[in-house]
Amino acid sequence: MIAGMTDGATLLCGKSVAENVYAECTAAIADLNQKRGRPPGLAFVLVGENPASQVYVGRKQKVSERLGISGQIIRLAADVSEAKLLECIDGLNQDAQIDGILVQQPLPAQIDATRIVRAVDPAKDVDGFHPANLGALAAGLATGFRACTPLGIMRLLDSAAIPLRGRQATVVGRSLIVGRPISYMLINAGATVTVCNSATDLQLLNQACRAADILVVAAGRPALIGADMVKPSAAVVDVGINRDSAGKLCGDVDFEAVRSRVAHITPVPGGVGPMTVAMLMANTVAAAGRAAKS
């Protein structure tokens, strides 16, 4: 759903598209309640008192409650041992009332985040980070769960009927959370994909960005992408969440400079962010549906 125009570019705002996802979730939850007598269960594991993590988890729980998902926050101390955290995750894996597990990151230094991700049952990995789920995505299989932010990006592009097959896409960033999964999704959709990272030569980065029909930026560097780095007809998806020198939220794209040159662009905030939460809820509902059939 397109929110509006800004200096020639169509804004891709996630809020309205997220509401469509929530409507689908609500209908599916009602069906699940009727079939198995309980709503989907989603567990949030929060380690420590990181202020941003507490805000993020709180928002996700509020959305889950609004939709009728049974969301619970499990709070562990910042100095919790890795063994204790693994024990907690194992308990959730075995809990038939829990359909989805989200371990909020970042985790404290004494915790091996990779080991924690791998400890979550792939069938309950609604974050889509488990190697089994990432592997299924890379192989082009329909099984498993997709990482929420890339999945939200795909839904956002689809809402604006932006064609992908045969188009040139450039992804800036190679993280397992956004960069690599979105590149696999775009490849599976028929796009020709270039992935850039922090080691990419600046001239090559400029060339790849200017060639892109679809440009996804998830580098974590404020205003990395300027007006001279975009194709006029491009759809630009800014995943970055940063703060400028004045403390204002900004993305990895210089929004004011770029928006007059491209066809579609996401704002920060309000673009990709709402879609990440929406797809987490959609994954949780899907996990509950699969569990109900097993």
Side-chain angles (χ1 to χ4, degrees):
M1 191 66 66
I2 297 170
M5 303 287 290
T6 175
D7 293 345
T10 298
L11 279 181
L12 300 175
C13 292
K15 187 175 180 180
S16 59
V17 182
E19 288 302 323
N20 292 338
V21 175
Y22 293 146
E24 295 166 7
C25 288
T26 299
I29 290 168
D31 184 57
L32 281 167
N33 285 338
Q34 185 176 27
K35 288 181 177 178
R36 67 175 188 172
R38 71 168 181 86
L42 175 59
F44 302 97
V45 181
L46 181 59
V47 181
E49 298 181 358
N50 181 292
S53 293
Q54 292 192 68
V55 170
Y56 294 149
V57 169
R59 288 175 180 169
K60 293 168 186 175
Q61 186 192 37
K62 285 182 179 178
V63 173
S64 68
E65 290 177 347
R66 168 192 157 194
L67 297 179
I69 294 172
S70 177
Q72 60 172 288
I73 301 178
I74 299 169
R75 301 179 186 274
L76 300 174
D79 61 354
V80 68
S81 68
E82 185 176 285
K84 188 68 176 178
L85 178 54
L86 288 169
E87 181 183 331
C88 172
I89 292 172
D90 184 60
L92 294 171
N93 286 339
Q94 303 303 320
D95 190 341
Q97 301 297 306
I98 298 298
D99 299 296
I101 302 170
L102 182 151
V103 181
Q104 184 65 40
Q105 297 199 35
L107 293 167
Q110 77 274 13
I111 305 294
D112 182 345
T114 299
R115 188 176 182 189
I116 298 305
V117 167
R118 291 179 176 178
V120 176
D121 183 346
K124 296 187 178 187
D125 171 39
V126 290
D127 257 340
F129 297 160
H130 193 283
N133 287 324
L134 283 170
L137 170 61
L141 303 177
T143 57
F145 291 105
R146 308 296 189 242
C148 300
T149 298
L151 190 59
I153 291 170
M154 295 298 285
R155 180 70 182 255
L156 199 55
L157 293 172
D158 181 68
S159 74
I162 294 171
L164 301 177
R165 187 169 184 81
R167 307 297 292 278
Q168 176 66 46
T170 295
V171 177
V172 183
R174 59 177 176 180
S175 75
L176 291 173
I177 296 174
V178 180
R180 273 181 267 190
I182 189 61
S183 68
Y184 296 143
M185 291 180 194
L186 289 166
I187 289 169
N188 292 344
T192 300
V193 181
T194 299
V195 180
C196 302
N197 57 67
S198 59
T200 302
D201 177 82
L202 184 58
Q203 183 176 353
L204 291 177
L205 174 65
N206 289 342
Q207 290 174 354
C209 290
R210 283 196 293 266
D213 300 302
I214 299 95
L215 176 60
V216 179
V217 190
R221 292 178 56 187
L224 172 66
I225 306 300
D228 61 338
M229 296 175 67
V230 294
K231 190 175 186 177
S233 58
V236 178
V237 179
D238 190 352
V239 186
I241 295 289
N242 313 290
R243 290 196 181 274
D244 61 20
S245 57
K248 182 180 178 182
L249 281 176
C250 63
D252 292 349
V253 175
D254 187 341
F255 181 80
E256 294 301 329
V258 170
R259 66 176 180 172
S260 62
R261 290 182 54 83
V262 297
H264 299 83
I265 190 168
T266 59
V268 175
V272 175
M275 295 304 302
T276 299
V277 179
M279 302 322 294
L280 171 65
M281 301 304 148
N283 278 351
T284 300
V285 173
R290 294 175 189 178
K293 294 177 181 178
S294 62

